[in-house]
Amino acid sequence: MRSIWNGAISFGLVSIPIKLVNATENHSISFRQIHTEDGGRIRYRKVCELEEREVTSAEIGKGYEDADGTIIPITDEDLSHLPLPTAKTIEIVAFVPADRIDPLQMDAAYYLQAGGAPAAKPYTLLREALKRSHKVAIAKYALRGRERLGMLRVVGEAIAMHGLLWPDEVRAPEGMAPDTSVTVRDNELDLADALMDTLGEVDLEDLHDEYREAVEEVVAAKAAGEAPPEAPAAPSSGKVLDLMAALEKSVRAAKESRGEASDSVQEPEAAEKAEVRRLPQRKSAGASPKQTGGKKSTSTARKSTAAPRKSTAKSAQAAKKTTASGSTARKTAARKTTSTAKKTTSGTSAKTTSGTSAKAASGTSAKAAAKKTAKKATSRKRTA
């Protein structure tokens, strides 16, 4: 790997010659700008505004633009006289625990390569000291015209350096959190913990850039004169009812993707399969006439009305049948009531007539007996 900077690590009075090598590489696919009509390349040319001509890289230097728009030329020689001890040195200023470093500060990463045989012993000494202390080194260094902050740590058998942003370059997260007050319940946290445990850990070596691979397939198909591959249809996701349902579905999906049983998570399927059913309207009490003996038919009609419906169409038909049966029951009850009333009236009148006749007959017989007794008494007196 080609070094991008040569210098030394200043570890107290110990100086370690090193070479700075990029620890990362960019695999993203870059595109060129073209003219859509004929496919010609679109290029940018560096043109001097005063002479209105294109200039070469050798003719281009640095300049600082003042507040009033004035350009102040700055040469490399001017920058080489800066009073910076870090111009060619990575100066270690402190050793701190790794968790003291905010990941937001981390920038580009580099490997520090020992610069020859004389650097082997002090390089190894610094590496082993970092290992045993479980700390990282904070250093200052100058690169590409500015002083920077860095963090040195051990990676395998090498020392790596992460460029760090200065603390004042990291913005405060003001206004990022929700303004509304939210209460998180314990059962929601339990489901979140279950989801975290189900997802588990992952080997970062197994992760790759699927977008870049898809773009490469499209480019290869276009180059071969073939139609680009179509994107697979996105899986249809059910309607999320609430946070609990979303967590439960996530746990279940994560377990299924790992081939595990998901019996421990009870998904609220009843909420999704629920149907809206219209209950039949009850008739008011004043709408039906009061009839003797109609309780049986009324209870029968209510039981028929309360029968479950399997669907909206069946419920409508059942309602019609129930109404018809209810009216039939009422008519039958009314007929029974009328016949009962007639029987009661006839029976009452019969009893009344027979009672009156009996009283009249008994009264007549009593009078006749009295007359006979009187005649006997009269005849006795005459004989005497």
Side-chain angles (χ1 to χ4, degrees):
M1 292 182 286
R2 185 175 62 87
S3 63
I4 62 173
W5 183 88
N6 295 335
I9 299 175
S10 175
F11 179 29
L13 297 178
V14 178
S15 180
I16 310 172
I18 56 96
K19 295 179 180 180
L20 195 67
V21 179
N22 282 322
T24 61
E25 54 186 0
N26 188 2
H27 288 167
S28 61
I29 298 176
S30 59
F31 297 98
R32 305 295 184 184
Q33 290 185 335
I34 62 171
H35 190 196
T36 55
E37 292 186 1
D38 52 19
R41 284 280 305 275
I42 303 297
R43 300 179 182 273
Y44 293 95
R45 292 184 171 87
K46 299 177 180 179
V47 177
C48 175
E49 293 182 352
L50 298 178
E51 298 182 3
E52 295 184 353
R53 68 177 182 87
E54 185 178 357
V55 295
T56 62
S57 299
E59 300 177 85
I60 299 174
K62 298 182 182 69
Y64 177 81
E65 185 175 1
D66 205 352
D68 58 358
T70 304
I71 302 296
I72 302 173
I74 301 294
T75 64
D76 293 337
E77 185 179 359
D78 296 333
L79 297 176
S80 64
H81 295 293
L82 291 177
L84 288 178
T86 57
K88 284 293 182 179
T89 304
I90 298 175
E91 182 182 5
I92 297 177
V93 297
F95 292 89
V96 299
D99 57 6
R100 288 270 303 275
I101 304 301
D102 189 346
L104 287 174
Q105 289 185 254
M106 291 189 179
D107 199 1
Y110 308 95
Y111 286 131
L112 303 181
Q113 181 182 8
K121 182 67 178 284
Y123 185 96
T124 305
L125 174 64
L126 177 60
R127 183 191 66 197
E128 296 303 317
L130 290 173
K131 282 184 180 180
R132 191 166 68 173
S133 66
H134 301 288
K135 293 182 178 181
V136 296
I138 303 300
K140 289 182 176 182
Y141 65 101
L143 182 64
R144 298 188 179 98
R146 55 169 295 193
E147 189 175 48
R148 302 170 187 265
L149 195 63
M151 178 190 72
L152 277 65
R153 68 184 184 96
V154 178
V155 177
E157 296 300 318
I159 299 176
M161 183 176 69
H162 294 269
L164 298 179
L165 299 175
W166 297 98
D168 59 357
E169 292 179 322
V170 179
R171 294 178 177 177
E174 296 178 357
M176 299 295 108
D179 296 335
T180 57
S181 177
V182 178
T183 301
V184 179
R185 296 173 294 178
D186 291 339
N187 53 354
E188 293 173 339
L189 285 174
D190 293 341
L191 277 175
D193 292 340
L195 178 58
M196 293 169 63
D197 293 339
T198 304
L199 292 176
E201 298 180 357
V202 65
D203 188 358
L204 296 181
E205 297 294 333
D206 296 336
L207 302 179
H208 55 279
D209 188 354
E210 297 180 1
Y211 178 81
R212 176 175 59 87
E213 294 176 355
V215 173
E216 289 176 348
E217 291 180 5
V218 171
V219 173
K222 296 279 285 186
E226 302 174 356
E230 296 182 359
S236 59
S237 58
K239 182 180 180 181
V240 176
L241 302 177
D242 53 19
L243 181 59
M244 291 292 293
L247 289 171
E248 289 172 350
K249 283 187 176 182
S250 300
V251 173
R252 182 176 181 179
K255 287 187 175 182
E256 290 178 352
S257 64
R258 293 175 177 268
E260 300 177 5
S262 58
D263 297 337
S264 58
V265 179
Q266 295 180 357
E267 186 176 349
E269 298 179 354
E272 294 183 353
K273 298 180 180 179
E275 298 179 357
V276 178
R277 299 175 180 173
R278 294 183 177 272
L279 295 177
Q281 298 180 354
R282 295 183 178 178
K283 296 184 178 180
S284 59
S288 59
K290 295 182 179 179
Q291 297 175 355
T292 306
K295 292 182 179 179
K296 186 175 181 181
S297 60
T298 304
S299 61
T300 305
R302 288 179 180 174
K303 290 181 180 178
S304 301
T305 306
R309 280 74 171 173
K310 294 183 178 180
S311 62
T312 306
K314 290 184 179 180
S315 64
Q317 295 176 1
K320 292 180 180 180
K321 292 180 179 179
T322 303
T323 305
S325 63
S327 61
T328 305
R330 292 191 186 97
K331 290 178 180 179
T332 304
R335 291 174 181 174
K336 288 182 179 180
T337 304
T338 305
S339 62
T340 304
K342 288 180 180 179
K343 290 180 180 179
T344 304
T345 303
S346 62
T348 304
S349 60
K351 288 179 181 180
T352 304
T353 305
S354 62
T356 305
S357 302
K359 287 180 180 180
S362 61
T364 304
S365 61
K367 287 180 180 181
K371 287 180 179 182
K372 288 180 179 180
T373 303
K375 287 180 178 181
K376 287 180 180 182
T378 302
S379 64
R380 285 176 183 176
K381 285 180 180 182
R382 288 177 182 179
T383 304

